[in-house]
């Protein structure tokens, strides 16, 4: 049985009343692959705490090009689906579930009340926000200063780790959306990788054929 207290590091510092408030208001949601949770800065649907699966946080340019900012996994808390709880801060980001996912849904009003009442919750939230900003700044540096082949190699290795296999069922468009690039650019780079013997390509399928060389290529672009 999934217990909320096992997922919140500040649970032990809450009062009995605050714990009861959470238990009474939090619900478990099952999200099918492809579910859009948040559609921009004005969306304040509540906080999502991942039980299993993962969430993708990304931006969309005016031309419709996507860029993955970061991904959230088990025990990660998503603040951006309730940015209204953060005074004077708005994040125009999208949040989706790329695979079947279960989350604790914490109403924004409940979490905002806890932040006001509990220094532990406020401190945890500030630390989490700083960590997310750090991830976005690191990504910005990668986009500005890192070559596309390095970023693509790092992404392929990350996807292989998530899938638990070197046989990836990914389209060139999906990879482009993660990287904030055009599909044509990713296709040309993958074809180059194939020519170098790093990957093997078939429709909707990418197989990593030389992981050691990919690891060396991706080293500057991995955290």
């Amino acid at each position: 049985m999934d217990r909320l207290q096992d997922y919140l590091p500040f649970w032990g510092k809450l009062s009995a009343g605050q714990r009861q408030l959470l238990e009474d208001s939090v619900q478990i949601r099952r999200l099918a692959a492809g579910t859009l949770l948040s559609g921009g800065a004005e969306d304040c649907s509540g906080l999502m705490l991942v039980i299993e699966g993962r969430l993708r946080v990304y931006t969309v340019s005016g031309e419709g090009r996507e860029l993955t900012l970061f991904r959230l996994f088990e025990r990660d808390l998503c603040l951006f689906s309730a940015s209204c709880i953060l005074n004077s801060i708005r994040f125009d980001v999208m949040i989706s579930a790329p695979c079947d996912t279960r989350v604790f849904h914490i109403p924004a009003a409940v979490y905002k009340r806890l932040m006001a009442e509990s220094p532990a919750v406020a401190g945890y939230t500030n630390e989490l926000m700083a960590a997310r900003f750090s991830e976005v700044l690191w990504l910005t540096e990668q986009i500005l200063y890192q070559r596309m082949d390095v970023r693509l190699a790092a992404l392929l290795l990350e996807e292989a780790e998530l899938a638990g296999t070197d046989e990836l069922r990914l389209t060139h468009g999906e990879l482009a959306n993660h990287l904030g690039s055009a599909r044509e650019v990713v296709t040309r780079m993958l074809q180059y990788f194939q020519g170098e013997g790093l990957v093997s390509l078939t429709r909707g399928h990418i197989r990593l054929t030389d992981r050691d060389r990919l690891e060396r290529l991706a080293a500057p672009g991995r955290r």
Side-chain angles (χ1 to χ4, degrees), residues 34-157:
T35 299
L36 181 66
L37 292 175
S38 180
E42 300 306 316
D43 193 339
C44 198
S45 54
L47 290 82
M48 306 295 168
L49 177 57
V50 181
I51 301 172
E52 63 179 355
R54 64 180 182 271
L55 300 177
R56 174 185 176 227
V57 181
Y58 62 101
T59 61
V60 182
S61 72
E63 296 76 31
R65 184 173 297 174
E66 297 180 8
L67 170 65
T68 298
L69 299 176
F70 51 83
R71 293 187 264 200
L72 301 171
F73 302 94
E74 182 181 341
R75 297 181 182 275
D76 283 339
L77 179 65
C78 183
L79 296 174
F80 293 154
S81 54
S83 59
C84 59
I85 68 173
L86 304 170
N87 294 332
S88 303
I89 301 178
R90 290 293 182 270
F91 301 96
D92 194 13
V93 299
M94 313 290 281
I95 303 164
S96 66
C99 60
D100 290 345
T101 300
R102 288 193 305 131
V103 300
F104 288 113
H105 175 231
I106 307 174
V110 170
Y111 196 85
K112 187 172 185 178
R113 173 178 166 182
L114 291 177
M115 283 181 60
E117 295 178 354
S118 169
V121 176
Y124 170 77
T125 305
N126 289 335
E127 290 177 8
L128 186 57
M129 186 57 61
R132 298 294 177 240
F133 273 128
S134 177
E135 291 183 60
V136 173
L137 288 173
W138 178 85
L139 175 63
T140 301
E141 290 179 356
Q142 294 295 302
I143 294 171
L144 291 174
Y145 305 119
Q146 203 57 265
R147 301 193 319 265
M148 177 58 71
D149 60 342
V150 174
R151 295 179 59 215
L152 179 57
L155 177 58
L156 290 173
L157 290 168

